[in-house]
Amino acid sequence: MKTPTASPLYYIGLMSGTSLDGIDAALIAIENASPPRLLATHAEPMPDELHRLLLTLCHAEQVSFAQLAAAEHAFCQCQTQAVKQLLAPLSVELEQISAIGSHGQTIEHAPKGHNGGPAYTLQLDNPSLLAELTGCTVVADFRRRDLAAGGQAAPLAPAFHQALFGRSDAHQLVLNLGGFANLTWLSSQPTDPVIGFDTGPANVLLDGWFSLHQGGRFDQDGDWAASGKIDEALLARLLSEPFFQQPPPRSTGRELFHLEWLQQHLSGQETAANVQATLAELTAVSVAQGIEQLRLNDSPLTLITAGGGAHNGYLMQRLAYHLPHATLTSPAAYGWPEDWIEAGAFAWLAHQRLHHLPGNLPSVTGAQGARVLGGIYAA
């Protein structure tokens, strides 16, 4: 096993989540045993045409090779632009970057297979082209090795949460509110396993319903949701989905939670704003239920909230209501603003891969053991 050098090593992480709003690029530095440091960030908007194409692919029963190739090519160009814009104002050159960690764009995630078939997860990506266009080594395809080892290949961020937020003097609870919500429990006892799992949908349904009825990509600050009323009957029908009763490890994605799933639970009598309010409540309640599954009793908790959903004021109000014993705090206090932890995670995973270090946590994904994740595409 190789040991990292004492001088700072620079990595770029690229992340495009299930909300499909753009590509987040984060430059990090890793030095000795210190937690990774965030140096710079850039958010590259997803072009409308690419956004529509990716959304189509996520919900298509059948696609052509030409469609996949066109999407990968456009996605890779967007990634390249993100890297260039990230480094443009900095004194860091591409030659100084040890590697780019590319998550790709998840098209479908089926860790339990489909109709009796094998487990699979598909991230649309072209790391060979990205290495060619940037002249930088790329690490990609992080999820399938964990899947091959019997894991669910998600969530992967808890290993990074441990590197960032783990403390010996206090327990830590991290909530990521991306397209989907996931929790990470970090015990202060080093012998206790890290626990992490998806609690259910977050922005994926909120954004989709907002786009369908209001246009645009997302409900700014949850204002539209706040204008509606929670439909308790609808909420009960949504929460009857068996996923919410599954014990960890568990993960989910668009293949389960999508607008068609939502439509199946509507009576036709709901107003659009009330549905939006109920979807925010679904996220808040399912997160609270996930915390209950951790059996932490009613002792005071500090909940580090990250991801785009942390900017949704109405959603944060509902979380606070359902978690009266928790103090919601920003990861910015640790030098990591809400929006950049996932991109930072894939920069860190690239570092792990280059140094032959594990990137998964079997206690989180259910894999048979720790595994080195990702493939290397040399510059």
Side-chain angles (χ1 to χ4, degrees):
M1 183 181 294
K2 295 181 182 178
T3 17
T5 60
S7 58
L9 298 174
Y10 300 108
Y11 296 87
I12 292 173
L14 299 177
M15 177 65 190
S16 176
T18 46
S19 47
L20 302 172
D21 54 355
I23 295 174
D24 291 338
L27 174 66
I28 74 169
I30 296 178
E31 187 172 8
N32 299 324
S34 302
R37 290 184 291 118
L38 181 65
L39 301 181
T41 62
H42 173 72
E44 184 67 22
M46 189 78 74
D48 289 340
E49 185 176 349
L50 178 57
H51 180 269
R52 286 191 294 269
L53 178 55
L54 291 173
L55 199 56
T56 298
L57 292 175
C58 286
H59 296 283
E61 289 294 327
Q62 292 183 332
V63 298
S64 70
F65 292 126
Q67 281 179 303
L68 287 173
E72 278 195 331
H73 186 79
F75 183 77
C76 189
Q77 289 180 317
C78 195
Q79 286 181 306
T80 303
Q81 183 68 10
V83 171
K84 290 180 178 178
Q85 292 298 317
L86 172 69
L87 295 182
L90 307 176
S91 57
V92 179
E93 304 293 335
L94 268 169
E95 293 76 16
Q96 297 174 261
I97 305 299
S98 297
I100 296 171
S102 172
H103 171 262
Q105 179 63 62
T106 297
I107 299 300
E108 191 159 310
H109 179 69
K112 295 185 178 180
H114 182 67
N115 291 335
Y120 64 91
T121 184
L122 175 62
Q123 281 72 46
L124 181 144
D125 206 356
N126 190 341
S128 295
L129 181 58
L130 184 60
E132 195 68 28
L133 293 177
T134 61
C136 187
T137 293
V138 174
V139 182
D141 189 19
F142 290 99
R143 296 191 183 273
R144 289 194 292 181
R145 183 59 192 275
D146 184 89
L147 201 70
Q152 296 206 11
L156 294 182
F160 183 58
H161 294 161
Q162 183 183 40
L164 274 188
F165 304 122
R167 293 173 54 179
S168 60
D169 60 343
H171 304 311
Q172 299 279 60
L173 187 59
V174 184
L175 171 65
N176 179 64
L177 292 166
F180 293 84
N182 54 69
L183 282 168
T184 302
W185 170 248
L186 303 169
S187 171
S188 62
Q189 303 300 315
T191 55
D192 289 345
V194 175
I195 301 173
F197 57 95
D198 288 350
T199 61
N203 299 323
V204 65
L205 293 178
L206 288 166
D207 291 352
W209 188 253
F210 181 85
S211 178
L212 182 65
H213 291 275
Q214 299 289 307
R217 298 259 182 107
F218 63 95
D219 183 8
Q220 182 72 42
D221 203 34
D223 288 344
W224 190 45
S227 74
K229 294 183 178 180
I230 297 163
D231 186 325
E232 296 292 346
L234 172 60
L235 178 64
R237 293 196 296 273
L238 297 176
L239 286 169
S240 70
E241 173 61 49
F243 172 83
F244 295 114
Q245 282 72 53
Q246 290 178 20
R250 72 183 196 209
S251 61
T252 190
R254 284 181 178 271
E255 66 285 346
L256 174 58
F257 294 107
H258 44 69
L259 288 184
E260 290 78 9
W261 175 85
L262 172 61
Q263 296 281 2
Q264 293 167 9
H265 293 84
L266 298 181
S267 67
Q269 304 303 310
E270 301 90 354
T271 69
N274 287 357
V275 172
Q276 187 76 352
T278 307
L279 290 175
E281 192 73 356
L282 174 67
T283 296
V285 170
S286 56
V287 167
Q289 290 180 345
I291 293 175
E292 286 177 12
Q293 286 183 297
L294 293 172
R295 303 181 186 277
L296 304 178
N297 302 317
D298 290 334
S299 55
L301 291 172
T302 296
L303 182 63
I304 301 170
T305 54
H311 300 295
N312 184 321
Y314 178 73
L315 176 57
M316 298 302 284
Q317 287 175 25
R318 298 312 301 163
L319 277 170
Y321 174 82
H322 289 287
L323 299 170
H325 300 288
T327 299
L328 278 56
T329 188
S330 168
Y334 300 83
W336 285 81
E338 290 89 346
D339 297 322
W340 301 105
I341 291 177
E342 284 196 294
F346 286 92
W348 178 81
L349 283 168
H351 166 83
Q352 296 294 99
R353 177 63 187 89
L354 291 191
H355 292 89
H356 304 282
L357 298 170
N360 68 335
L361 291 172
S363 62
V364 171
T365 67
Q368 296 169 7
R371 296 290 187 269
V372 178
L373 307 181
I376 300 173
Y377 299 77

